[in-house]
């Protein structure tokens, strides 16, 4: 029996379900090559921020307004920008990563609106990105927004406008902060996105009690944080029209196996790469293959989603009944 840990994600073929999530580690080709060597199935590049794109457009506008300057209709905007900018560097990162790697290269944009910048997705595609991940970073703390539906419409608008620009698969990386999370995820999965990354992990503020100022806390996740995406991957398996990618709290091979049992197509890792090094991906792949061998599985498909809410035959395991049972048993 030939055993394989290969998988597909958004229509792309991956040699492993372990994907390097977007972080500072994936912002240079040297690390990306090391990740490929360690056995990562794909890489998600460090995000470019919407604000960087918009700022670059404004700066270019200033240049274009110089006396005597004419902007030809067919001109590529990037013929007119400084090559030292974040935007241009990002396109170079995409291009050089695609040239250096065999594994799929997923570019990433961190955005909060559908204003002005969405054309830039096409530039990323033209540099050879195999897919694009949209990290939509909307905190539900805007008191001017009337209701949740308005917020959800913003997500749909961003996706719709980006999908008009590109033919490569697009995924969306989301936070768990939605009213009726399950229904919202199902609705967003029907917009044409090919993947859904559950979940994004926001910057968490803490206080310095001496200086009375805000400092970052818990920059890296802990394995305990995996419970949230595990639950929601298991609930959404079979209820979304796209692939599911697990993110947050996966620090070892057992975490990878659990997320696949819940229904994940791939598992993204970031914190553990900082804490234990890029080589930890190799250990994750080994553990996955070893566990499959012990349990007689030849492919991921044979066990993917078997512990998901709908496949378990006991959906209450994810709901209130289990909560009541566990808390009654605790003394
Ligand atoms: C230092 C650091 C930088 C990150 N930068 C990005 C980023 O640019 N874009 C993004 O979508 N996620 C970014 N993330 C979030 C990770 O991709 C991931 O979603 C999150 O850390 C949870 O996964 P983990 O538990 O494996 O770390 C970053 C995480 C860390 C720790």
């Amino acid at each position: 029996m030939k055993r394989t840990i290969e998988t597909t994600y958004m229509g792309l073929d991956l040699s492993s379900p372990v994907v390097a999530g977007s972080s500072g580690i994936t912002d240079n080709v040297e690390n990306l090559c090391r990740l490929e060597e360690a056995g990562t199935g794909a890489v998600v590049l460090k995000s470019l921020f919407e604000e960087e794109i918009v700022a670059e457009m404004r700066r270019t506008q200033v240049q274009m307004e110089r006396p005597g300057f004419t902007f030809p209709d067919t001109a590529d905007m990037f013929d007119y920008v400084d090559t030292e900018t974040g935007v241009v560097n990002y396109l170079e990162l995409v291009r050089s990563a695609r040239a250096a790697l065999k594994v799929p290269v997923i570019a990433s944009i961190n955005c909060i609106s559908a204003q002005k910048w969405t054309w830039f997705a096409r530039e990323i595609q033209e540099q050879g990105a195999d897919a694009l991940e949209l990290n939509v970073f909307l905190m539900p703390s805007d008191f001017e927004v009337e209701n949740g539906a308005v917020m959800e419409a913003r997500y749909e608008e961003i996706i719709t406008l980006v999908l008009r620009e590109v033919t490569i698969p697009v995924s969306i990386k989301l936070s768990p902060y939605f009213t009726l999370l399950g229904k919202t995820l199902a609705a967003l999965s029907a917009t044409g996105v090919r993947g859904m990354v559950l979940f994004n992990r926001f910057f968490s503020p803490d206080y310095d009690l001496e200086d009375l100022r805000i400092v970052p806390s818990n920059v890296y996740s802990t394995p305990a944080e995996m419970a949230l995406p595990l639950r929601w991957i298991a609930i959404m398996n079979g209820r979304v029209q796209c692939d599911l990618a697990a993110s947050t709290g996966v620090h070892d091979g057992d975490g990878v196996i659990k997320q696949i049992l819940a229904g994940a197509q791939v598992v993204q890792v970031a914190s553990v790469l900082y804490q234990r090094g890029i080589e930890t991906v190799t250990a994750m792949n080994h553990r996955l293959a070893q566990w499959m061998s012990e349990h007689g599985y030849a492919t991921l498909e044979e066990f993917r989603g078997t512990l998901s809410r709908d496949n378990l035959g006991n959906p209450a395991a994810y709901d209130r009944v289990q909560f009541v049972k566990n808390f009654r048993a605790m003394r």
Side-chain angles (χ1 to χ4, degrees):
M1 182 170 64
K2 191 180 169 294
R3 185 164 296 105
T4 173
I5 61 166
E6 287 167 8
T7 188
T8 59
Y9 178 50
M10 300 197 272
L12 304 166
D13 292 321
L14 272 58
S15 56
S16 159
V18 181
V19 168
S22 178
S23 81
I25 287 185
T26 59
D27 79 348
N28 65 83
V29 174
E30 190 192 332
N31 278 349
L32 295 171
C33 289
R34 284 181 57 211
L35 283 161
E36 175 171 275
E37 225 167 274
T40 187
V43 292
V44 186
L45 303 181
K46 171 84 184 151
S47 299
L48 180 69
F49 285 79
E50 167 186 335
E51 290 84 344
E52 289 180 86
I53 302 170
V54 174
E56 186 53 36
M57 288 168 70
R58 285 215 189 93
R59 217 183 57 76
T60 310
Q61 190 70 36
V62 172
Q63 270 193 330
M64 287 189 294
E65 282 163 6
R66 279 180 311 183
F69 182 85
T70 54
F71 193 76
D73 285 339
T74 53
D76 180 338
M77 182 172 210
F78 285 94
D79 291 341
Y80 298 94
V81 299
D82 186 332
T83 52
E84 286 311 304
T85 66
V87 166
V88 172
N89 286 348
Y90 198 77
L91 292 177
E92 174 55 22
L93 174 65
V94 175
R95 194 199 60 72
S96 51
R98 184 57 281 144
L101 302 179
K102 290 192 195 72
V103 299
V105 173
I106 304 172
S108 165
I109 297 180
N110 185 315
C111 53
I112 48 171
S113 78
Q115 302 301 305
K116 305 183 198 98
W117 67 269
T118 48
W119 62 273
F120 188 76
R122 208 176 338 129
E123 298 282 334
I124 284 180
Q125 171 171 298
E126 278 167 18
Q127 297 307 312
D130 297 290
L132 175 62
E133 185 175 285
L134 300 175
N135 179 347
V136 186
F137 200 99
L138 288 173
M139 280 294 266
S141 53
D142 185 343
F143 289 90
E144 304 298 312
V145 178
E146 302 99 81
N147 55 49
V150 173
M151 205 73 158
E152 286 144 29
R154 272 198 211 163
Y155 285 83
E156 288 199 24
E157 190 190 4
I158 293 171
I159 296 167
T160 306
L161 292 182
V162 171
L163 287 178
R164 267 188 215 153
E165 300 286 347
V166 294
T167 52
I168 53 174
V170 174
S171 60
I172 183 153
K173 186 174 185 180
L174 296 161
S175 82
Y177 302 134
F178 289 95
T179 325
L180 269 185
L181 178 58
K183 252 188 134 169
T184 305
L185 296 180
L188 289 176
S189 81
T191 54
V193 287
R194 303 286 300 277
M196 190 167 264
V197 186
L198 307 182
F199 291 108
N200 197 6
R201 188 168 178 273
F202 287 114
F203 163 82
S204 323
D206 194 5
Y207 299 149
D208 180 322
L209 291 182
E210 292 313 312
D211 297 347
L212 299 189
R213 60 189 178 92
I214 293 176
V215 290
S217 74
N218 307 321
V219 174
Y220 302 125
S221 67
T222 65
E225 292 176 52
M226 198 188 96
L228 183 70
L230 187 71
R231 170 194 285 256
W232 283 98
I233 296 276
I235 290 173
M236 298 315 297
N237 183 53
R239 290 177 182 267
V240 283
Q241 297 176 41
C242 66
D243 288 341
L244 292 169
S247 168
T248 297
V250 176
H251 284 226
D252 57 20
D254 285 9
V256 174
I257 297 163
K258 287 176 191 178
Q259 293 289 10
I260 296 170
L261 283 165
Q265 206 70 19
V266 294
V267 181
Q268 295 193 3
V269 293
S271 293
V272 72
L273 302 178
Y274 284 91
Q275 294 172 318
R276 286 209 227 134
I278 284 172
E279 295 67 30
T280 197
V281 170
T282 313
M284 288 177 167
N285 284 341
H286 280 159
R287 171 64 184 144
L288 172 60
Q290 175 211 22
W291 180 88
M292 286 171 65
S293 155
E294 286 165 12
H295 291 260
Y297 294 122
T299 66
L300 304 189
E301 270 337 296
E302 290 172 17
F303 67 95
R304 191 190 318 277
T306 50
L307 292 184
S308 69
R309 188 177 188 251
D310 284 351
N311 288 342
L312 197 58
N314 175 22
Y318 287 97
D319 301 328
R320 183 171 161 77
V321 174
Q322 203 65 6
F323 170 78
V324 174
K325 202 171 103 195
N326 281 342
F327 277 75
R328 277 234 183 97
M330 282 173 75
R331 298 259 175 250

